[in-house]
Amino acid sequence: QWEVGRFFVKPEYRSRTSVAYYEDSEPEQSGVIWQPDVYPLAAHLARQLGCTQIIDIGSGHGQKLVSLYPEFQVMGVDFGPNMAYCSSHYPFGTWLEWNLESSQAIPIDPQIAQQSVVICSDVIEHLVDPTFLLRNIKRLLADVPVVVLSTPERDLTRGTQDMGPPINPCHVREWNLLELKQLLESEGISVDFIGITISNTHSNLHQTTLALLRGERNDRPLLPGASAG
């Protein structure tokens, strides 16, 4: 039984209390693509659900998001140098400057949200307090049909004996699959599917947790063979 105040991470685990800003320039320098299946899956779901827009919460430099344009309109949500980069390089997108640890609701028009699939890919592990991100996701799920969320699976990437903090100085804490599911459900979020996906195109190792979070208005299956509820 994990402590709720520790975000369901095992009690012995040590999280960071502060974290370095993550400027998303590594793919440009290394050629390695992280979470390579997340964005194609989001696009597949958008086609299946008849959505016209992809919203990326924590979009970084936006390369994977803008690859889905012009089939979909694209909106990125982030702050600092990442947003400055996106605004200057991708004028066709909508770029919303927003601190993801803010307690305020992300100002996304409900009519736009209803036509959108939301991605939150490898973001939650960067936040000292993920509570407000999760509450914003919960708010969005009142309108969007699905949120696609991913984060490193700690036991697979670090081993079951890892007690933190993460090796990556931009990560505050990391979850295993069960802990993450408990965290999401503790915020009243409906986890339609949770499993493991490939982490990057360099190692081809399946070490990333992928979760599909069901919107409150959506009663359609999100994956073949899945059933609502």
Side-chain angles (χ1 to χ4, degrees):
Q1 181 67 36
W2 308 142
E3 298 174 42
V4 174
R6 294 181 58 83
F7 306 110
F8 292 91
V9 175
K10 57 188 176 183
E12 303 88 355
Y13 189 85
R14 293 172 297 142
S15 303
R16 287 192 170 84
T17 55
S18 62
V19 68
Y21 179 83
Y22 178 64
E23 187 169 355
D24 186 25
S25 59
E26 180 183 349
E28 302 159 22
Q29 299 168 355
S30 68
V32 175
I33 299 173
W34 290 84
Q35 315 93 37
D37 291 339
V38 170
Y39 289 75
L41 174 59
H44 169 75
L45 291 170
R47 296 182 197 109
Q48 178 177 294
L49 295 165
C51 294
T52 58
Q53 179 147 322
I54 308 290
I55 299 173
D56 192 0
I57 298 177
S59 53
H61 274 197
Q63 296 97 331
K64 287 174 286 188
L65 174 63
V66 299
S67 71
L68 304 180
Y69 177 89
E71 181 180 2
F72 301 100
Q73 296 300 305
V74 294
M75 174 187 292
V77 181
D78 211 321
F79 71 102
N82 286 332
M83 279 293 90
Y85 181 94
C86 290
S87 296
S88 63
H89 285 75
Y90 310 121
F92 52 82
T94 300
W95 307 106
L96 176 59
E97 179 98 11
W98 195 258
N99 181 350
L100 297 181
E101 293 192 76
S102 167
S103 62
Q104 302 301 308
I106 299 173
I108 296 174
D109 188 309
Q111 290 187 327
I112 292 175
Q114 289 169 21
Q115 296 298 315
S116 301
V117 167
V118 171
I119 298 170
C120 188
S121 182
D122 286 37
V123 173
I124 191 170
E125 68 274 11
H126 291 267
L127 305 181
V128 174
D129 185 346
T131 302
F132 299 118
L133 171 67
L134 294 171
R135 291 179 183 172
N136 264 305
I137 288 174
K138 173 65 174 174
R139 291 186 188 107
L140 286 168
L141 285 168
D143 296 301
V144 303
V146 62
V147 173
V148 183
L149 183 144
S150 68
T151 190
E153 212 285 357
R154 187 191 66 243
D155 289 353
L156 295 176
T157 57
R158 309 296 179 203
T160 58
Q161 302 306 309
D162 180 71
M163 295 299 169
I167 293 173
N168 187 330
C170 296
H171 290 187
V172 175
R173 67 183 64 79
E174 295 166 346
W175 290 263
N176 68 23
L177 187 149
L178 177 59
E179 293 166 352
L180 182 69
K181 185 173 187 288
Q182 291 174 321
L183 175 66
L184 294 167
E185 291 178 341
S186 76
E187 291 293 333
I189 293 170
S190 176
V191 181
D192 193 83
F193 168 86
I194 190 165
I196 302 299
T197 187
I198 190 171
S199 298
N200 63 69
T201 55
H202 174 70
S203 67
N204 290 318
L205 295 175
H206 288 68
Q207 297 180 334
T208 290
T209 299
L210 173 71
L212 300 184
L213 313 178
R214 176 176 292 279
E216 295 173 13
R217 298 168 179 253
N218 183 22
D219 59 1
R220 297 178 58 183
L222 295 176
L223 291 176
S227 59

